[in-house]
Amino acid sequence: MKIVDIKILRGPNYWSIRRPKLIQMRLDLEEMEEMPTNKIAHFREKLQAILPGLYEHRCSEGVAGGFLKRVDEGTWMGHVIEHVALELQTLAGMDMGFGRTRGTGKKGEYFVVFDYMEEEAGAFAAKSAFNLVQHILHDSAYNLEEDVQRMREIREDTRLGPSTGSIVEEAIKRGIPYIRLNKQSLVQLGYGVHQKRIRATIASTTSCIAVDIAGDKEETKNLLSAAEIPVPKGIIIYPNDTVESAISSVGFPMVFKPLNGNHGKGATTDITNKTQAETALAAAREYGRYVICERFIKGYDFRILVINYKFVCAALRTPASVKGDGVHSIQWLIDEANKDPRRGYGHEKVLTQIKVDSYTHKMLDDAGFTLETVLPKNTLFLLKPTANLSTGGTSTDVTDKVHPVNIFLAERIAKIIGLDICGIDVMASNLKTSLFENGGAVLEVNAAPGFRMHVEPAEGLPRNVAEPVIDMLFPKGTTGRVPIIAITGTNGKTTTSRLTAHICKTAGHKVGFTTSDGVYIQNQMMMRGDCTGPRSAEFVLKDPTIDFAVLECARGGILKNGLAFQKCDVAVVTNISADHIGLGGIESVEQMAKVKAVLPETVVRNGYAILNADDDLVYEMRKNLDCKIALFSMSENNKRIKQHCAKGGIAAVYENEYVTIMKGTWKIRVEKVADIPITFGGKAMHNIMNTLPSILATYLCQMGLEDIKLGLQTFIPSPTQTPGRLNLFEFKNFKFLVDFAHNPAGLNLLCDFVNKLESSYKVGIISGTGDRRDDDIREIGRISARNFDEIIIRQDKNMRGRTPDEIVGLLVEGINEAGGNKLPLKIIHKESEAITYAYTHAKPGSLITIMCDVVPDALDFIKNLKEEEEKKENETVNK
């Protein structure tokens, strides 16, 4: 048994639209294919002994114990590993429940699919589940706790912190998309020109000056003091200063903390003698050269949160502590406190486990205690100098008890510093009375205040503090989205994408679009190559200059990573035919249709799925959609179109030499086909077909008919606007036609166009793609033999698992099967040499058609030939 590969799916995918975050492990059972669980002695008992929680897995039985029943009856190891991976994540504090195990089409090989919370932890769970099962099969020891703890650590290292996470969750509730921009806490909310960014709880709206002021505690105190805000007396201790000046100036009790510190690092409170002061000063200097010394204000530690300059909530913070019982040691009391089910590792639960660290030992030393000391009954002992939740502290919500004057002061402080998201630390006996009355003081003003104490207080009412942040960044009624038109299918995707983007640009939009030849931002190519996957789509959506996205989405990206977006406004499916069959676990055109159907299934409820009514598999997709449907067809008499429009539906059709939008029974003729350049006067039928979903998609996105018409008229078939798609080069005595047709359906459409062009002799430069099925390659040969007078076979740069002789052999077989054994046939492996041969041997009036491999290379090579010919003609004329 072995793991073949592990893929991380991050968006809507082949397995699930609603569960975008999935691990897909390809597992080869090898000899275990013949060994289901009921044939392995004591397998169920050993498995349940390690993971008793598997009893709760219902599986397809739908009842507790359902999965274990399947194990008793006999199931395969892929299915077992799926459930083990889910249970391991649950034990690590990530309760997941979706899983699927399906064959890949190869005997003994399976896709094991399950959901995850954090992708690196999910991938680790896949490997751990495999290892656990292997240990059972080989009857060897397995350290469950070690793997579970490692998963917890990975989760805490990679997850968004609780503050950032709460904002992202609130954004999701509002339908606002997000993109994580790094492995820390930098997150983009929204797309394109509407995007905002957050880093923890600092937003793109937060003033840089305000953050800088808040980071300088002395500057903050000076501003607040000048505004008559109560603050404690204090001084700055410089690198060469000693504690004596602080003692004489401030007096005991006092507080030391780094001038530019945060989260309580290096801070020591309630210092009452010189020895403590020297130790505290050394601790503070570990985090900065400059240290602030303030008078220690006795009272309770409160945090007030102000967002968008409005009071939101307040919490009482208590450092990690234990209360003596007169019997047990401090260590025992700590261990008991950590048994509280609300305490967990890192941020996984409401409270964090208490760890004994250097600060704890300092607190013990200052009190003359050790971990073995038995505290008198009801004696409270603080284990940390600060009340941070991340070190085991607790919080109690006191929002409803804050005096109006204190609310006024908090909002005023936020304005004085200029912080739109502001955490104010107050030391006071309470917040029920005014700070002016109870002698309390403002200790600090914090940029990037933590939200966890408010979202998950140990006591009191949880507060949704992320909501006012989202309301500040995105006023009610806005989602931060840009319109997205997503396009998929077997053939025609790139031309449809380019034409759609061109019409959008003509209508005044700043468009970002992806195609199989590159990524474009406002018509400027930013990335070259096949850019039809999620990374390229995300590149567009992250760009702050675009207000419209047109995204070509190919099979490969959907299968390998899922989509880059959760929702789109319009999805187009051009057609489905037999291409890429046998790759990535897709063994039939029906399965391929399921892959392509992922796009229309992500359309928002009020958006449109635009489906090809001439294609049975595409038309069938309408049954599983929760959005509006629009259809297109090459015939207005298509029964499906008639039925759809009779019910008030909208469609696009080719009728009476026009591309026409039909709204119910009304026709809106958009443009005469003869005036649409990419149709070559109506000869390129497949480009008429590609035009239909483009005009429909842009019309449904509220673009005017005049803009659509102008876009159609100005979209010229050329190496610039349509590289590798019907690029016709006219030489003096013959023509070259360059096209990226790479499958039988595409070649049939290309040949239909070729046969409509004037030529006395047709030459085809063809090739087969190595990872396609044998008969798909033969079919390229058959189609070529039926349509060309001469054939030149070339090879792709990437052979994709086959030898040149294999591909040539299959093409020749197809040519011969179609009766082309008497056709002139030349085999020239290198594309440039094949083009050169065709060029030097071209007959007058001939048309040379090349199925190109690397589009830019082929176009550049032919352009050079054209330039050389023109140069020679000019030299001849000049002579």
Side-chain angles (χ1 to χ4, degrees):
M1 202 165 57
K2 67 180 180 181
I3 298 173
V4 179
D5 61 41
I6 295 175
K7 289 185 170 61
I8 298 172
L9 308 182
R10 301 179 180 91
N13 55 75
Y14 178 75
W15 304 102
S16 178
I17 302 299
R18 294 180 177 83
R19 298 177 182 85
K21 296 167 67 172
L22 296 176
I23 297 294
Q24 177 184 289
M25 173 168 60
R26 191 149 53 109
L27 185 68
D28 188 346
L29 295 188
E30 297 178 324
E31 73 283 353
M32 293 307 298
E33 172 67 6
E34 309 302 327
M35 290 292 288
T37 52
N38 61 342
K39 291 185 178 181
I40 303 170
H42 308 297
F43 182 82
R44 182 258 174 89
E45 291 83 356
K46 293 177 182 177
L47 180 63
Q48 192 173 3
I50 298 173
L51 297 173
L54 287 174
Y55 179 78
E56 300 300 326
H57 291 219
R58 295 170 175 263
C59 201
S60 57
E61 302 293 322
V63 296
F67 167 66
L68 293 177
K69 181 183 176 185
R70 293 284 306 276
V71 174
D72 286 335
E73 293 171 348
T75 189
W76 274 258
M77 286 302 149
H79 185 209
V80 173
I81 289 171
E82 168 204 324
H83 280 269
V84 170
L86 290 170
E87 182 63 17
L88 288 174
Q89 289 186 95
T90 298
L91 291 174
M94 298 171 283
D95 194 8
M96 314 307 296
F98 175 82
R100 294 284 185 274
T101 299
R102 299 289 185 269
T104 66
K106 178 181 176 182
K107 181 176 171 58
E109 193 174 88
Y110 295 85
F111 285 127
V112 178
V113 179
F114 58 88
D115 55 353
Y116 64 85
M117 182 180 291
E118 298 299 327
E119 60 184 52
E120 289 185 29
F124 185 86
K127 297 171 186 175
S128 294
F130 176 83
N131 292 335
L132 187 153
V133 171
Q134 287 282 54
H135 280 289
I136 293 175
L137 294 175
H138 294 95
D139 206 20
S140 58
Y142 172 72
N143 192 328
L144 174 64
E145 185 52 40
E146 184 179 299
D147 272 7
V148 171
Q149 179 58 24
R150 179 60 189 139
M151 249 183 288
R152 292 190 185 109
E153 293 168 358
I154 293 171
R155 179 199 66 214
E156 292 304 305
D157 287 344
T158 59
R159 75 187 300 185
L160 289 172
S163 301
T164 313
S166 67
I167 297 172
V168 168
E169 287 172 12
E170 185 63 27
I172 293 170
K173 289 178 189 174
R174 280 268 304 271
I176 297 167
Y178 79 96
I179 299 173
R180 191 170 179 177
L181 298 177
N182 64 12
K183 292 184 177 181
Q184 285 75 47
S185 56
L186 183 62
V187 176
Q188 173 182 316
L189 302 175
Y191 292 148
V193 295
H194 303 306
Q195 67 180 264
K196 298 288 191 295
R197 289 180 181 175
I198 58 170
R199 186 197 293 274
T201 58
I202 292 178
S204 49
T205 55
T206 302
S207 162
C208 178
I209 294 175
V211 173
D212 189 58
I213 291 170
D216 186 328
K217 300 188 189 320
E218 183 68 10
E219 187 70 44
T220 299
K221 191 167 69 170
N222 290 338
L223 287 173
L224 297 183
S225 180
E228 295 298 328
I229 303 295
V231 295
K233 178 183 178 183
I235 64 167
I236 295 176
I237 302 176
Y238 294 94
N240 295 324
D241 292 345
T242 61
V243 296
E244 281 77 8
S245 59
I247 293 170
S248 62
S249 178
V250 176
F252 297 116
M254 61 174 60
V255 175
F256 280 129
K257 52 189 174 183
L259 179 64
N260 297 310
N262 55 51
H263 301 297
K265 293 176 181 176
T268 306
T269 61
D270 198 11
I271 300 163
T272 58
N273 58 59
K274 183 178 178 182
T275 302
Q276 290 178 353
E278 290 173 340
T279 303
L281 179 59
R285 280 177 169 163
E286 290 182 11
Y287 293 91
R289 298 176 63 201
Y290 301 95
V291 176
I292 191 167
C293 176
E294 293 176 342
R295 182 79 174 179
F296 178 66
I297 306 296
K298 289 191 179 290
Y300 296 101
D301 184 350
F302 293 97
R303 165 63 64 82
I304 300 175
L305 184 64
V306 178
I307 296 174
N308 202 18
Y309 307 107
K310 296 293 182 182
F311 168 78
V312 173
C313 60
L316 167 65
R317 303 188 297 176
T318 306
S321 61
V322 290
K323 184 177 287 188
D325 61 3
V327 177
H328 297 96
S329 68
I330 292 175
Q331 181 64 68
W332 186 92
L333 294 172
I334 293 172
D335 293 340
E336 281 301 298
N338 283 334
K339 290 179 182 178
D340 185 337
R342 296 177 301 167
R343 289 195 183 273
Y345 182 82
H347 297 137
E348 71 178 347
K349 296 183 179 179
V350 174
L351 301 175
T352 299
Q353 289 184 342
I354 302 169
K355 290 184 177 180
V356 176
D357 57 16
S358 60
Y359 289 108
T360 308
H361 285 294
K362 182 179 181 300
M363 301 287 283
L364 289 167
D365 292 342
D366 290 346
F369 294 160
T370 71
L371 289 171
E372 300 307 314
T373 298
V374 175
L375 295 172
K377 190 172 183 178
N378 294 326
T379 298
L380 184 70
F381 180 69
L382 301 183
L383 298 165
K384 309 288 179 183
T386 57
N388 292 318
L389 271 64
S390 59
T391 59
T394 61
S395 67
T396 301
D397 178 72
V398 295
T399 302
D400 299 327
K401 300 176 182 178
V402 182
H403 193 279
V405 169
N406 294 334
I407 292 175
F408 164 75
L409 287 175
E411 293 178 348
R412 186 163 174 259
I413 288 167
K415 282 283 190 180
I416 290 167
I417 303 303
L419 272 179
D420 57 0
I421 303 175
C422 180
I424 302 166
D425 291 345
V426 174
M427 185 67 72
S429 57
N430 64 75
L431 292 181
K432 295 178 183 178
T433 57
S434 163
L435 295 185
F436 296 119
E437 294 177 12
N438 63 31
V442 174
L443 304 184
E444 291 185 17
V445 178
N446 298 278
F451 282 3
R452 185 184 176 200
M453 70 186 77
H454 308 294
V455 174
E456 296 180 325
E459 296 179 35
L461 192 66
R463 304 288 174 171
N464 183 5
V465 296
E467 184 176 21
V469 174
I470 293 299
D471 289 343
M472 177 181 72
L473 298 176
F474 300 95
K476 295 290 186 181
T478 63
T479 62
R481 293 167 48 83
V482 298
I484 297 174
I485 298 176
I487 299 168
T488 193
T490 302
N491 292 304
K493 300 186 296 297
T494 298
T495 299
T496 302
S497 298
R498 281 183 162 277
L499 175 56
T500 302
H502 180 74
I503 294 172
C504 294
K505 179 177 177 291
T506 302
H509 286 288
K510 295 177 180 178
V511 187
F513 62 100
T514 64
T515 70
S516 58
D517 54 75
V519 175
Y520 297 79
I521 302 296
Q522 299 184 56
N523 267 22
Q524 176 65 48
M525 178 183 275
M526 304 304 299
M527 297 169 64
R528 184 183 295 276
D530 187 347
C531 297
T532 55
R535 289 185 181 178
S536 302
E538 190 174 272
F539 181 91
V540 167
L541 298 174
K542 287 194 293 189
D543 191 277
T545 69
I546 64 109
D547 62 16
F548 207 105
V550 178
L551 307 175
E552 180 181 347
C553 303
R555 161 209 65 92
I558 297 172
L559 288 174
K560 291 174 185 175
N561 298 108
L563 297 175
F565 49 88
Q566 303 296 320
K567 294 289 182 181
C568 63
D569 300 276
V570 174
V572 173
V573 186
T574 58
N575 47 64
I576 304 291
S577 61
D579 193 22
H580 297 98
I581 305 301
L583 300 176
I586 304 303
E587 300 296 325
S588 66
V589 287
E590 289 75 18
Q591 283 183 298
M592 185 61 72
K594 184 182 175 184
V595 176
K596 306 290 187 179
V598 170
L599 256 71
E601 289 174 9
T602 64
V603 176
V604 296
R605 183 164 293 183
N606 290 323
Y608 280 88
I610 299 177
L611 306 177
N612 186 347
D614 297 334
D615 188 306
D616 293 344
L617 289 171
V618 176
Y619 181 68
E620 194 70 13
M621 292 177 187
R622 77 196 190 285
K623 295 180 179 179
N624 297 318
L625 303 181
D626 185 26
C627 65
K628 298 176 182 178
I629 308 294
L631 302 176
F632 67 94
S633 171
M634 289 294 284
S635 170
E636 66 173 321
N637 295 317
N638 181 306
K639 290 182 180 179
R640 294 164 176 170
I641 295 289
K642 285 187 171 182
Q643 290 171 356
H644 178 68
C645 291
K647 296 176 182 177
I650 190 166
V653 297
Y654 173 48
E655 55 87 27
N656 292 313
E657 306 303 318
Y658 280 88
V659 289
T660 298
I661 292 172
M662 298 182 67
K663 294 180 70 176
T665 57
W666 295 95
K667 289 182 180 179
I668 304 172
R669 285 182 169 167
V670 180
E671 183 59 288
K672 198 174 181 70
V673 165
D675 295 327
I676 302 175
I678 63 165
T679 71
F680 287 86
K683 295 185 180 71
M685 296 299 289
H686 61 293
N687 271 351
I688 299 175
M689 188 185 302
N690 293 334
T691 300
L692 297 174
S694 291
I695 64 171
L696 198 49
T698 50
Y699 181 77
L700 293 172
C701 286
Q702 309 303 314
M703 285 169 219
L705 289 173
E706 289 305 313
D707 288 327
I708 296 172
K709 186 172 182 177
L710 181 60
L712 294 176
Q713 293 171 347
T714 55
F715 190 67
I716 311 299
S718 64
T720 303
Q721 286 195 312
T722 60
R725 274 74 185 173
L726 300 189
N727 300 145
L728 191 63
F729 294 85
E730 296 199 14
F731 287 77
K732 184 177 181 180
N733 296 316
F734 57 89
K735 297 175 184 176
F736 252 112
L737 179 65
V738 180
D739 197 89
F740 188 60
H742 58 282
N743 57 53
L747 183 58
N748 266 323
L749 292 170
L750 176 61
C751 288
D752 176 74
F753 172 66
V754 166
N755 290 329
K756 292 175 182 176
L757 296 177
E758 290 185 12
S759 66
S760 57
Y761 191 76
K762 295 189 288 292
V763 179
I765 303 177
I766 69 170
S767 65
T769 307
D771 59 4
R772 302 310 197 266
R773 297 176 301 180
D774 288 0
D775 203 55
D776 292 336
I777 299 175
R778 291 191 193 95
E779 184 63 13
I780 295 290
R782 296 184 194 111
I783 296 168
S784 300
R786 291 193 292 265
N787 289 279
F788 296 118
D789 302 309
E790 179 181 343
I791 296 173
I792 300 170
I793 297 177
R794 63 157 190 84
Q795 294 298 328
D796 288 350
K797 287 184 177 180
N798 184 351
M799 302 306 296
R800 305 193 187 198
R802 292 188 189 261
T803 66
D805 289 343
E806 280 183 274
I807 296 175
V808 169
L810 291 168
L811 288 170
V812 171
E813 284 179 27
I815 291 168
N816 292 338
E817 287 172 12
N821 53 318
K822 294 183 180 179
L823 290 176
L825 176 64
K826 193 79 175 176
I827 299 168
I828 304 174
H829 292 289
K830 194 172 180 181
E831 183 174 79
S832 59
E833 292 177 1
I835 294 172
T836 300
Y837 176 86
Y839 173 79
T840 55
H841 293 80
K843 297 180 179 180
S846 64
L847 173 63
I848 303 165
T849 301
I850 175 171
M851 296 171 61
C852 58
D853 177 15
V854 181
V855 172
D857 292 354
L859 291 176
D860 288 345
F861 193 83
I862 293 172
K863 283 179 188 175
N864 288 335
L865 291 176
K866 175 73 173 167
E867 288 171 3
E868 287 177 13
E869 182 183 84
E870 290 173 351
K871 183 179 179 181
K872 289 178 180 178
E873 287 182 2
N874 290 334
E875 289 174 352
T876 302
V877 170
N878 291 333
K879 287 179 181 179

